[in-house]
Amino acid sequence: MKYILIVLFSFIAVFTISSKSWAGEIDGKGLICEKFNGKKNSNYPNINTFYFDQEEAYVVEFFNNSTDPIMKIKVDKSYHISAKKIHFKCTKYSSDFCGLNRQTLILTAETDSEVSQFEVQAKYQCKVTDWSGILEHYKPALEKHMEEMKKNKI
């Protein structure tokens, strides 16, 4: 009985310590993606930043008019992973989806249209990072923002 309790507590301790194993496969990772191909009238930005946490997808944006300008905006309640692709909503609009090739890191932004099932809006080359890499990406804009904030009288 004593050995069973020791083994049971060992399993509980291991699973508690490694609770990340219960999380999504890409949780804690981010993408910084640079557009290399897209429609001229596309509303997709030249650089798109995403973060994945607790099996949810977020777009990370910089808002100049905010006192806390770097914001994670949830765009998908869950992302979907296969051996070769990751699919998730990539904007707050319900018809915009992204597919990331896990080997080439090419992200395709598509819109569900009435004419065709999915119409490619833009393609991005991405690099994988973590939250600190995303903050580093926004560091020049954040420093400029902080300088502007110092000019405030109140």
Side-chain angles (χ1 to χ4, degrees), residues 51-122:
Y51 188 70
F52 304 94
D53 191 29
Q54 296 180 358
E55 298 186 27
E56 296 176 332
Y58 297 85
V59 64
V60 182
E61 293 186 6
F62 191 91
F63 294 96
N64 275 321
N65 292 329
S66 176
T67 56
D68 189 14
I70 300 173
M71 294 188 189
K72 290 189 310 186
I73 302 164
K74 187 184 337 181
V75 289
D76 205 346
K77 292 181 271 188
S78 64
Y79 51 80
H80 308 283
I81 295 179
S82 69
K84 297 199 184 234
K85 283 211 170 217
I86 299 170
H87 293 278
F88 58 97
K89 281 181 52 182
C90 48
T91 68
K92 52 190 165 239
Y93 306 108
S94 62
S95 60
D96 295 340
F97 295 91
C98 282
L100 178 72
N101 182 308
R102 296 180 78 177
Q103 295 171 344
T104 64
L105 295 179
I106 291 178
L107 181 118
T108 304
E110 302 173 329
T111 300
D112 191 6
S113 69
E114 294 176 11
V115 178
S116 63
Q117 188 172 357
F118 287 103
E119 186 177 354
V120 174
Q121 298 295 321

Side-chain angles (χ1 to χ4, degrees), residues 33-39 42-48 121-125:
C33 305
E34 189 170 341
K35 187 177 355 178
F36 67 86
N37 187 358
K39 291 182 139 194
S42 174
N43 291 328
Y44 287 86
N46 288 332
I47 295 181
N48 231 332
Q121 298 295 321
K123 286 193 174 197
Y124 293 83
Q125 181 63 59

